[in-house]
Amino acid sequence: KLVYANGTYSQIPGADSMSLPKRYRMAAVNNLTHAYLGGGTNASQTNSNKFDKFTFATETCATKDIWPGGSYYANIDSATALGNQQKGFVCGGTNQSDGDETSTVWRITYSTDTLDEMPSTLTSARGDGAITRRRFSFGKADVGYVCGGEDEMSSSVTKIAYATETSSYAPDLWGVARMAEAVSSNTAGY
């Protein structure tokens, strides 16, 4: 952990004994009290259908099996996530079973630790209608943006309105943005 007040790093007590699987390409989203880290790929190249809930106050983690039963895209890696204080949204990624990219958006409701597939999806990432993975995202309290992706032609932006849980096209990026990161303030995204 990084302590903001003094800029020092330290290991979380008991971190070595946590039963977290070692994964990469996970999606993560948080509010002020806890974070969800989910999906991803482990060392044996198998995608995960678990989410880990990390509680900041106790610095503890618990695995949550919150994917909807029978979800085709339950084993996802390379997704992105964004949200506000009430809910998070896990967007896109790659499905382990067939390697296809997905435009699906899932909603995590923090108060109930549940995940549901939204009827709205991400807009096309390329002019030819193909979907891409490894997008990046940023947002503020009421809206988020999912941008770019791994594909060399990816410049599209999807706007997600949190209150209505709908997605829409937003103006394309100024150019192609591949596997980038983003941050935001209340007035702009970067």
Side-chain angles (χ1 to χ4, degrees), residues 50-78:
K50 303 292 185 194
F51 264 78
D52 299 307
K53 181 179 180 180
F54 184 81
T55 303
F56 297 132
T58 59
E59 296 183 340
T60 57
C61 201
T63 298
K64 301 286 184 178
D65 191 5
I66 62 174
W67 285 107
S71 175
Y72 175 68
Y73 289 108
N75 294 318
I76 287 293
D77 81 351
S78 301

Side-chain angles (χ1 to χ4, degrees), residues 23-40:
R23 300 190 309 250
Y24 59 99
R25 295 184 186 153
M26 295 188 302
V29 64
N30 68 282
N31 64 13
L32 294 176
T33 60
H34 54 272
Y36 287 89
L37 302 93

Side-chain angles (χ1 to χ4, degrees), residues 154-176:
S154 181
S155 62
S156 75
V157 179
T158 301
K159 179 180 179 181
I160 297 178
Y162 301 150
T164 59
E165 298 181 356
T166 55
S167 62
S168 60
Y169 283 98
D172 280 355
L173 298 171
W174 59 95
V176 173

